[in-house]
Amino acid sequence: MKQVKKKDVALRFGIPASTLSTILKQKDHLTILAPYSSQIRQKKCEYRDLEECLMAWFTQCRQNNIPISGPILKEKSKLFATNLGITNFQSSEGWLEKFKKRHDLTFKKVCGESASVDPCISQDWKNELINLLVDYDARDIFNADETRLFYKCLPDRTLTFKNEKCHGGKNSKERITVMLAANMDGSQKLKPLMIGKYANPRCFKNVKSFQLMYRSNKKVWMTGVLFTEWLLCIDADMKKTNRKILMFVDNFTAHNNIPHLENIKINFLPPNTTSTLQPLDQGIIKIFKTMYRKEIVRTVLACMGDVPFKISILTAMEMIHKAWENVSTQTIANCFKTCGFIKDGQTIDKGIPIQGEEVEVLLSTWNRLEVPVLFEEFVHFDDNVATAGTFTDEEIIQSTSANQHNSDNDDEGEEAEVPVISLKEAKFFMSGLRQFFEQSEMAENRCDTIFNAISKLDNAMDQIVANNFLQKKITDFFNNM
């Protein structure tokens, strides 16, 4: 191929040769707007914080089926510019067009009247469900849903929190939202998404690996952005294993903006039917909350007469992980069957057993706390707390990347930093753990499971030590000589 000289190219497009040289030098930072056009623009957005706020507001409006026009966007951008202290911003037609292109926006029935009529509502849902499940194995069919949790609430505070609406009131700092998801045969429970109020609680300071996916916003709400991020993470995991899954979610406002997914197919449950058609609402979330409250009760009893028991966001994360792991396979499978998730000639079980033994053991210790509420009330007192809502302009501004670092980074000071555990201390704890189980009487199969788990933990610790050793330089060993 014949090489074209720069001066010939410059002549062809009617630009000076020096301009062409500048364009070629900056080609990695420039984008051509149209074929054979001399117009170029910088990829970097001049008012990043403003556009981030505007997109958050626009997304929120879409989720609530509010139609937004170009003039409305322009007026809203002016308000955000004022609130952000931007004095040189011009909300022109040219800016609007570039904003729409940058964020791939079109104004064709954004979420208008058609969104208010849901075509999925049908009396024959369970019959249709059978057809939806045909192409998927039971292990690849999932249900996901959010639940709210007053994670700090102790049994003697239940009456204080009972019937608390908590739309950002004084008790909102005590609340978290948890997204749970499990598959039809109960063989897999996905890592939960936990939404807290603070981006970097003090108790996270020395923590580098988390048991759950953690995100935050001021209202502790599930948002379309968080739901999208969660879905994309699962989609990436499924892609690694070349696995296609079907996921059922309710027709919740934060679920309406589904991203492009390669390995997940999303199917919405009919509106206003989740109490009878959503597996997680048939007992899975109830047992999860029961397991979580059980951990609180056990810890309170263990701490009686000693140091007062406090629950940090990290402690809550650990208890949520344990509670979710303790929801049995049978419970999950039976709840799916109750909602019509049946394959291969299965029948619906009547009188579904849902971890009754676990609950009875817990109830036997409940009376020792001498609190004026039933355990059932303690489990369910936060069932009516909102998991989503509408953010104000001020809250949207505070949640932008530029402001997030400077606000809500620490909690109100109640949570202490987690102390750093040395290798020597960890080995000592592991030895004590092994000795504890060696001195405990257990069934043989349970004994094997526990000691195998301890060996895996020991091996994992050795691997971490080996990795740290390989990362050290030879000079590190002579620094103190």
Side-chain angles (χ1 to χ4, degrees):
M1 183 176 178
K2 184 179 179 181
Q3 188 175 4
V4 182
K5 295 181 180 180
K6 288 183 181 179
K7 65 177 183 179
D8 294 333
V9 175
L11 182 63
R12 179 181 176 185
F13 288 96
I15 59 175
S18 59
T19 301
L20 177 61
S21 298
T22 301
I23 292 173
L24 293 175
K25 286 179 182 178
Q26 299 182 7
K27 62 182 179 180
D28 294 332
H29 305 287
L30 300 173
T31 301
I32 304 300
L33 290 180
Y36 307 109
S37 170
S38 60
Q39 288 183 301
I40 56 175
R41 66 171 172 85
Q42 294 286 345
K43 287 182 179 179
K44 184 178 179 181
C45 175
E46 186 176 358
Y47 305 104
R48 181 178 175 181
D49 290 347
L50 186 152
E51 294 200 6
E52 193 174 335
C53 291
L54 193 61
M55 272 305 298
W57 175 81
F58 179 76
T59 302
Q60 181 171 266
C61 291
R62 290 189 60 180
Q63 291 169 358
N64 289 283
N65 297 334
I66 301 172
I68 301 297
S69 65
I72 292 176
L73 264 183
K74 289 171 63 178
E75 288 303 312
K76 196 66 182 180
S77 68
K78 292 177 183 177
L79 290 175
F80 277 124
T82 301
N83 291 333
L84 289 167
I86 301 173
T87 57
N88 57 343
F89 173 71
Q90 295 293 325
S91 181
S92 62
E93 282 296 327
W95 168 83
L96 178 62
E97 287 304 313
K98 291 176 183 177
F99 173 79
K100 288 160 59 178
K101 287 180 181 178
R102 276 193 291 270
H103 299 280
D104 194 24
L105 300 183
T106 56
F107 294 111
K108 51 175 185 180
K109 284 193 177 181
V110 176
C111 256
E113 297 176 0
S114 61
S116 61
V117 180
D118 197 319
C120 297
I121 298 176
S122 171
Q123 295 296 323
D124 299 322
W125 166 254
K126 290 188 177 182
N127 293 331
E128 294 178 12
L129 184 60
I130 295 174
N131 296 326
L132 293 173
L133 306 182
V134 168
D135 297 329
Y136 294 87
D137 294 331
R139 65 183 290 270
D140 295 325
I141 299 167
F142 287 79
N143 175 222
D145 192 24
E146 301 90 350
T147 187
R148 67 295 294 167
L149 205 62
F150 278 112
Y151 71 97
K152 286 187 177 184
C153 190
L154 302 178
D156 59 349
R157 297 182 64 196
T158 301
L159 291 176
T160 304
F161 283 79
K162 192 176 179 182
N163 298 322
E164 165 67 51
K165 295 298 182 183
C166 197
H167 290 286
K170 63 180 181 180
N171 291 328
S172 63
K173 64 188 177 188
E174 308 278 351
R175 175 177 52 119
I176 55 177
T177 296
V178 182
M179 166 68 88
L180 301 173
N183 64 352
M184 180 174 160
D185 62 4
S187 62
Q188 185 177 8
K189 289 169 282 193
L190 298 180
K191 179 187 288 190
L193 165 63
M194 176 177 171
I195 305 171
K197 183 174 183 180
Y198 301 98
N200 297 298
R202 188 171 286 109
C203 58
F204 282 6
K205 183 172 182 181
N206 296 318
V207 181
K208 298 178 181 177
S209 300
F210 294 91
Q211 300 176 50
L212 311 180
M213 180 179 177
Y214 180 81
R215 296 295 183 268
S216 66
N217 60 61
K218 196 172 184 66
K219 291 293 187 71
V220 199
W221 282 338
M222 172 61 77
T223 65
V225 173
L226 293 181
F227 183 65
T228 295
E229 182 185 4
W230 181 75
L231 280 177
L232 290 172
C233 287
I234 297 172
D235 192 53
D237 290 340
M238 296 301 168
K239 189 174 181 180
K240 290 176 185 176
T241 57
N242 195 27
R243 186 176 168 194
K244 302 280 187 179
I245 68 170
L246 176 64
M247 182 174 290
F248 289 85
V249 296
D250 56 21
N251 198 21
F252 179 44
T253 54
H255 300 167
N256 289 342
N257 192 22
I258 302 298
H260 172 70
L261 302 168
E262 296 184 24
N263 289 63
I264 303 177
K265 181 180 179 181
I266 298 294
N267 208 304
F268 289 102
L269 295 166
N272 305 316
T273 60
T274 55
S275 61
T276 57
L277 294 180
Q278 177 147 253
L280 269 82
D281 283 343
Q282 289 300 304
I284 297 173
I285 288 177
K286 176 184 176 181
I287 290 299
F288 161 73
K289 283 193 171 184
T290 300
M291 296 296 105
Y292 181 83
R293 307 293 186 202
K294 180 178 74 172
E295 290 304 310
I296 291 179
V297 171
R298 282 179 172 175
T299 310
V300 169
L301 290 173
C303 293
M304 274 186 169
D306 298 320
V307 181
F309 175 51
K310 290 185 178 180
I311 305 175
S312 70
I313 198 75
L314 185 62
T315 307
M317 184 179 289
E318 293 164 355
M319 290 196 294
I320 288 171
H321 181 266
K322 183 177 180 181
W324 186 227
E325 287 300 308
N326 285 338
V327 178
S328 72
T329 298
Q330 183 187 24
T331 293
I332 295 172
N334 283 340
C335 288
F336 269 87
K337 288 180 184 178
T338 303
C339 295
F341 287 76
I342 301 172
K343 289 178 66 70
D344 304 324
Q346 293 176 326
T347 58
I348 299 176
D349 297 341
K350 294 184 179 180
I352 300 172
I354 302 182
Q355 298 185 244
E357 291 182 7
E358 287 274 8
V359 176
E360 290 201 10
V361 171
L362 179 57
L363 290 176
S364 67
T365 63
W366 179 252
N367 291 334
R368 292 176 57 190
L369 296 176
E370 299 181 353
V371 290
V373 292
L374 299 174
F375 181 73
E376 192 76 7
E377 290 182 272
F378 182 47
V379 171
H380 294 290
F381 76 95
D382 51 7
D383 283 355
N384 294 322
V385 180
T387 58
T390 304
F391 292 96
T392 64
D393 289 356
E394 181 182 357
E395 289 162 348
I396 289 174
I397 291 171
Q398 289 178 353
S399 67
T400 59
S401 57
N403 293 283
Q404 183 72 20
H405 182 72
N406 298 319
S407 64
D408 292 343
N409 285 341
D410 292 318
D411 59 21
E412 64 278 14
E414 293 181 1
E415 300 183 6
E417 297 176 5
V418 176
V420 177
I421 303 298
S422 67
L423 173 62
K424 184 177 181 180
E425 289 173 317
K427 284 289 187 181
F428 176 78
F429 296 149
M430 183 67 71
S431 176
L433 188 64
R434 185 179 283 107
Q435 289 177 23
F436 172 79
F437 284 107
E438 286 172 348
Q439 296 166 9
S440 303
E441 189 173 340
M442 298 179 290
E444 186 174 351
N445 61 337
R446 185 167 176 78
C447 182
D448 291 342
T449 300
I450 289 173
F451 286 119
N452 288 339
I454 292 175
S455 294
K456 288 180 180 178
L457 287 174
D458 215 0
N459 290 334
M461 193 181 303
D462 292 340
Q463 187 61 50
I464 291 172
V465 173
N467 291 341
N468 289 340
F469 180 82
L470 290 174
Q471 290 170 7
K472 286 184 176 292
K473 299 177 182 178
I474 190 66
T475 53
D476 293 340
F477 296 96
F478 300 96
N479 287 339
N480 297 323
M481 292 184 64

